[in-house]
Amino acid sequence: MALKGNLRDFSIVQLLNLINLARKTGTLKIDRREERADLSFHGGKLVYATLGGGESELILALRQTGMITEEQARTIGSRASGRSDKELGLLLMNAGYVSQEEIIESMRERVLDNTYPLFTWHDGSFRFESGTPQVNGAITVRINLENLIMQGTRRLEEWERLQDELPELGVSLRFADRPQTSLRDINLNVQEWRVISFINPRNTIRQIAQYNNMSDFQIRKIVYGLLQAGLVEIVRPEKEEEPEVSEPARQAGGGADWQAESEAEPGAEKEVPTEKQRPDVKRNVIMRLIDRIREL
């Protein structure tokens, strides 16, 4: 008999505790308005999780961890139509794109990132069905639920604080005229550099998050850190309607380096390079971004 109910009466923490203590094997399905989450368990361990579904979870995972670029992700996705993530992962390893360890670590991060937002869900119907999960050729991992619950609870507290500090995502950002943090002290990860590359008064925080496949929690955490460091400032929109996302300028050629920005009139605001055309984030990219910040 399936266990079913509503998160208003039985929270995600209680559900995970129950699955952990009973060492359950099965699938937990949660529906909240237009959102859908599917979590798969084996012997009380979380092995797979999707939030919304759609694209290949492996491609999203590799892009999210910076193993492949946006352009590579689109190319791989178009050529891998009809293949399972396991088949795709084997092809990528044989082609030398990534190693098995990088695939497993990327998928682990992806599963966690698909699960943590559920700790903020306080309503929604759920149904747990016992039995071997049907993951359809997905790449599975094994995640201890006790650690997941502790980390998820901490994230919930942090999420509530971030909502208080940064309640609106419909606002834009610009680089501070006088950064409070020395550029020599900047040490950002791939996702933070991706956000920085889209900072432009014409791009709202929500649009930056959507373009980079980031959750509200992820974008709030990154933007809050940039604000606290004094690197950026909030720009309040003059109109309530959000403009279309301002895509950075196309780059000529390929390879791992960014091409120089196209010629612009003196004093004209420069467009940031697009994720679509941008290759892997490497040292020369970081130096160009630092130069960009210095110019502002």
Side-chain angles (χ1 to χ4, degrees):
M1 181 176 179
L3 172 66
K4 57 184 179 180
N6 195 287
L7 294 180
R8 289 192 300 268
D9 307 313
F10 211 73
S11 70
I12 186 66
V13 172
Q14 291 173 312
L15 283 171
L16 294 177
N17 269 319
L18 176 62
I19 293 169
N20 178 49
L21 293 173
R23 301 291 187 266
K24 299 291 288 183
T25 295
T27 303
L28 176 63
K29 300 180 180 182
I30 307 175
D31 290 283
R32 188 184 72 159
R33 295 184 285 278
E34 296 181 357
E35 297 177 287
R36 168 72 178 269
D38 292 88
L39 281 67
S40 300
F41 303 88
H42 189 274
K45 306 287 186 183
L46 177 64
V47 296
Y48 193 64
T50 59
L51 186 59
E55 295 183 63
S56 161
E57 287 295 316
L58 176 58
I59 293 177
L60 291 173
L62 294 174
R63 180 195 167 197
Q64 181 176 313
T65 53
M67 296 297 173
I68 60 176
T69 66
E70 172 65 19
E71 185 176 359
Q72 289 173 330
R74 279 193 296 271
T75 301
I76 294 169
S78 64
R79 295 180 179 178
S81 178
R83 297 182 185 273
S84 69
D85 277 357
K86 284 186 177 179
E87 294 172 328
L88 179 57
L90 184 59
L91 288 174
L92 293 176
M93 286 191 294
N94 290 337
Y97 275 95
V98 290
S99 66
Q100 181 177 0
E101 291 74 18
E102 289 171 333
I103 287 178
I104 296 300
E105 184 57 32
S106 295
M107 282 303 302
R108 178 182 175 82
E109 290 298 317
R110 180 66 184 174
V111 168
L112 289 172
D113 285 340
N114 283 340
T115 306
Y116 286 138
L118 304 182
F119 285 81
T120 67
W121 291 16
H122 301 297
D123 62 79
S125 61
F126 67 81
R127 180 183 180 90
F128 182 84
E129 299 176 348
S130 298
T132 303
Q134 302 298 314
V135 290
N136 299 323
I139 297 173
T140 59
V141 293
R142 289 180 64 84
I143 296 174
N144 187 293
L145 288 185
E146 293 179 359
N147 295 335
L148 173 64
I149 292 169
M150 287 190 294
Q151 184 63 27
T153 302
R154 294 193 195 101
R155 286 204 173 203
L156 176 58
E157 296 172 354
E158 187 176 6
W159 165 255
E160 293 172 346
R161 177 175 61 82
L162 289 173
Q163 276 194 307
D164 292 337
E165 297 287 349
L166 191 63
E168 299 179 57
L169 296 182
V171 296
S172 302
L173 300 170
R174 68 183 177 194
F175 291 107
D177 294 331
R178 296 181 179 179
Q180 298 175 13
T181 301
S182 172
L183 293 173
R184 296 178 181 177
D185 299 329
I186 296 178
N187 184 19
L188 305 179
N189 60 34
V190 173
Q191 288 188 325
E192 289 165 335
W193 281 116
R194 283 175 175 165
V195 170
I196 280 183
S197 73
F198 277 90
I199 290 178
N200 185 311
R202 292 186 293 275
N203 296 337
T204 67
I205 297 174
R206 180 177 292 108
Q207 289 170 331
I208 294 174
Q210 291 171 345
Y211 195 84
N212 288 284
N213 290 324
M214 292 182 179
S215 66
D216 285 0
F217 174 83
Q218 289 173 314
I219 192 65
R220 275 189 167 96
K221 185 173 182 178
I222 291 174
V223 170
Y224 179 71
L226 296 175
L227 289 169
Q228 288 296 102
L231 295 175
V232 299
E233 299 171 342
I234 290 179
V235 179
R236 301 291 175 181
E238 296 180 1
K239 299 180 181 180
E240 292 186 3
E241 182 179 354
E242 293 184 0
E244 293 185 1
V245 64
S246 177
E247 293 231 0
R250 285 181 172 269
Q251 306 297 319
D257 295 338
W258 285 3
Q259 301 296 326
E261 293 183 17
S262 58
E263 295 183 1
E265 296 180 2
E269 186 172 16
K270 297 179 180 179
E271 297 277 350
V272 288
T274 182
E275 176 77 14
K276 176 179 179 181
Q277 300 295 331
R278 184 181 53 182
D280 293 324
V281 177
K282 295 188 177 180
R283 180 175 178 81
N284 65 318
V285 176
I286 295 174
M287 296 307 299
R288 289 177 185 273
L289 280 173
I290 290 176
D291 290 340
R292 171 75 174 113
I293 295 174
R294 286 198 182 106
E295 293 171 1
L296 296 173

